[in-house]
Structures are given as structure tokens and as C-alpha cells.
Amino acid sequence: MTTIVSVRRNGKVVIGGDGQVSLGNTVLKANARKVRKLNNGTIISGFAGSTADAFTLLDIFEEQVKSSNGNFEKGVISFSKLWRTDKALRRLEAMMIVADKSKSFLISGAGDVITQDDDLLAIGSGGNYAYSAAKALLENTDLDAEEIVKKALTIAGEICVFTNNKFTIESIEA
């Protein structure tokens, strides 16, 4: 349970996430880092779901990109196939948003590989709130991608009890 949102605007992609880790209705940690740079800083990732599962998946994702000779899109597809078909991996419960300088994808264990239609993606318990806020800001302001991510996460945190205001935000310039 978390909120991760990705916005792409004016040659920059930004992924941000809150820091709350919950177990049922109890907050266990307030400042977890759910957004990370991978592949020597050329890829940003954000995850929602079981933390241990997500860390395992991030490591495997990075390996798949490297084994695809750095081809990001090929690595995403290869990773998704592996996640969906491997008996141990398909039990892992998480969702991920990954982005490089030109493309962003939402990846799930159900085999979903979704690209953005409107320069944004969001996942997690507060994902719909953050998505709605970011969409409104993209369409009605000239704010940069990072400010949109911050404001969308703030709004999600005000609505979703599983989202807090301790953000990790990473970006890549195109």
C-alpha cells in the first residue's frame, strides 16, 4: 500500500513515491525509499506492494535490462515474461513503474506491460488519487514534471490513509 506516480513533461521524466510502509492498519515505517535509480542512473523505478518482493523484482528487472544489452524496452518485455511464467516469481505481489529517458511502463505480475497515453502513470493504494491530480495539473498548469509529482503525491496523501508526505523523487532528463 503506497502511492507511486510518474510524470513526463518537457523532456524530463519524474517518478515519486511516498514513504509509508503499512501492515494492515498499522504504520510500520514512515520513510521507506520506494523509488530508485537503476542501470547506472539511466532508469528510474518505483514499486508498490510487498517490499521484499519488490526488491527481488527490481534486481531481476535490472539483470534483464543488462542481458538485453541495455535495450530498455526489450528488457521490460523480457522481465514481464519471466515474472509471469516463473513459478516462484509469479507469486510475488508488487507492481512497478519503470522509465528511461524516452519511455515509461507500468509492469505487473499479471503480465501487464502498459505504456502511458497522457504522460503519466500511477500505482498503489493512492495511485488513482495521484493520477487524477497529476492529470488535472498537466492539463491546466505549466508546472514542471517534478512539481506535478510533488503536488499529486501531496493530494494523494491527504486522501489515502496508506500514503504519507515523506516523498522520494527521482528524475531523468531526455
Side-chain angles (χ1 to χ4, degrees), residues 23-88:
L23 182 60
N25 294 325
T26 304
V27 176
L28 297 178
K29 185 173 180 162
N31 61 347
R33 186 172 169 79
K34 302 172 196 171
V35 176
R36 300 174 182 278
K37 283 193 172 184
L38 305 171
N39 202 41
N40 298 319
T42 62
I43 296 171
I44 314 170
S45 66
F47 64 84
S50 168
T51 306
D53 291 355
F55 285 134
T56 300
L57 292 166
L58 287 173
D59 288 344
I60 294 167
F61 170 72
E62 193 168 23
E63 288 172 16
Q64 290 298 310
V65 171
K66 286 179 182 173
S67 70
S68 298
N69 295 320
N71 182 321
F72 178 63
E73 191 166 356
K74 186 176 178 181
V76 167
I77 301 295
S78 159
F79 169 72
S80 178
K81 287 178 186 176
L82 180 63
W83 187 1
R84 181 70 180 137
T85 58
D86 184 272
K87 287 184 180 184

Side-chain angles (χ1 to χ4, degrees), residues 93-167:
E93 296 182 18
M95 292 183 81
M96 298 169 49
I97 294 175
V98 294
D100 74 354
K101 64 183 180 180
S102 59
K103 294 188 179 183
S104 300
F105 296 94
L106 183 154
I107 310 169
S108 80
D112 300 312
V113 177
I114 300 167
T115 60
Q116 66 212 37
D117 280 339
D118 50 8
D119 295 323
L120 67 105
L121 294 166
I123 56 174
S125 58
N128 287 336
Y129 307 120
Y131 183 91
S132 298
K135 186 169 180 63
L137 292 166
L138 270 170
E139 292 178 1
N140 296 291
T141 72
D142 291 325
L143 293 173
D144 68 15
E146 189 164 336
E147 281 301 311
I148 291 173
V149 165
K150 286 178 187 174
K151 289 182 180 294
L153 287 169
T154 299
I155 290 167
E158 292 171 354
I159 300 168
C160 177
V161 297
F162 297 107
T163 302
N164 71 11
N165 63 355
K166 309 277 195 236
F167 307 142

